[in-house]
Amino acid sequence: MLASTPALAFPQPQREVARIVSPAWANEASRDRAGEAANVIRLLGLGAGQTVADIGAGSGYYTVRLSPVVGPRGRVVAQDVVPRYLTDLKRRVRRAGLTNVRFVLGAAGDPKLAPASVDTALMIHMYHEIAQPYALLDRLRGSLKPGGRLAIVDLDRPSEDHGMPKATLVCEVRSVGYDLVSITDLTPGYLAVFKPGRAPDPAAVKACRSEARPAASG
């Protein structure tokens, strides 16, 4: 097995990386009223027997909703880089009696998922918080099964405002050899789906530049 490319071989993002401030993006009841998870699950066609990685699972909003969708023959991999979030999520999963959830502590430049193990990798309202996105995306490629895909939900606004402009996201993900499948507007935000293409030479990957926030007047 070939050794993984070191994270430092990839560039750092040329934009703000948002600070991780909470295990939850928003109130779960309000997200349910907006139909967020149900819409994403429907648009992606997620179903029984699949393995879905909830990258940056946080408090587990998607994890606990995905578990009954993939069923007893499927698996949800709840991944995060904050140990405390995973500890709390393990308690939540145990209280809910969910038996098809596994937990993985990742790193800034490596999701730490098993090779060829994931049908769909989800990044929900957290891509803007990834400190080493180019390295992480490169490592993630090897964790996707043949035909696997990456699905990202975010808000179309600057990363310092806990969002990710569509153009910047597409540029960054494409630069590491993924192909854009679709972008669908949500309420709020958008869902971008990618499939892995040819892996580039890390030395050839150039960081994408995001438009700077306009300076305040007056």
Side-chain angles (χ1 to χ4, degrees), residues 15-151:
R15 57 168 172 80
E16 292 291 329
V17 174
R19 187 165 58 93
I20 300 174
V21 295
S22 170
W25 175 68
N27 176 272
E28 292 197 6
S30 66
R31 295 173 80 174
D32 282 343
R33 285 194 296 271
E36 180 192 320
N39 286 338
V40 170
I41 290 168
R42 175 182 55 82
L43 288 167
L44 292 174
L46 302 179
Q50 297 181 15
T51 295
V52 181
D54 185 8
I55 298 177
S59 62
Y61 174 76
Y62 270 79
T63 294
V64 299
R65 286 159 179 80
L66 286 167
S67 175
V69 170
V70 301
R73 295 187 179 179
R75 177 172 294 183
V76 180
V77 182
Q79 185 266 17
D80 211 292
V81 298
V82 181
R84 177 171 57 85
Y85 293 173
L86 287 179
T87 298
D88 292 343
L89 182 51
K90 287 177 182 177
R91 295 193 187 101
R92 179 178 185 178
V93 166
R94 186 168 57 247
R95 288 196 301 268
L98 306 178
T99 59
N100 60 350
V101 179
R102 302 294 180 268
F103 302 89
V104 173
L105 179 64
D110 187 351
K112 304 284 188 178
L113 303 177
S117 62
V118 175
D119 294 295
T120 301
L122 295 179
M123 297 181 181
I124 307 294
H125 294 298
M126 55 73 66
Y127 182 88
H128 51 269
E129 298 175 346
I130 301 173
Q132 298 178 24
Y134 299 99
L136 184 140
L137 290 168
D138 183 72
R139 295 283 180 86
L140 177 63
R141 177 197 317 279
S143 299
L144 296 175
K145 295 179 182 179
R149 60 203 167 149
L150 165 64

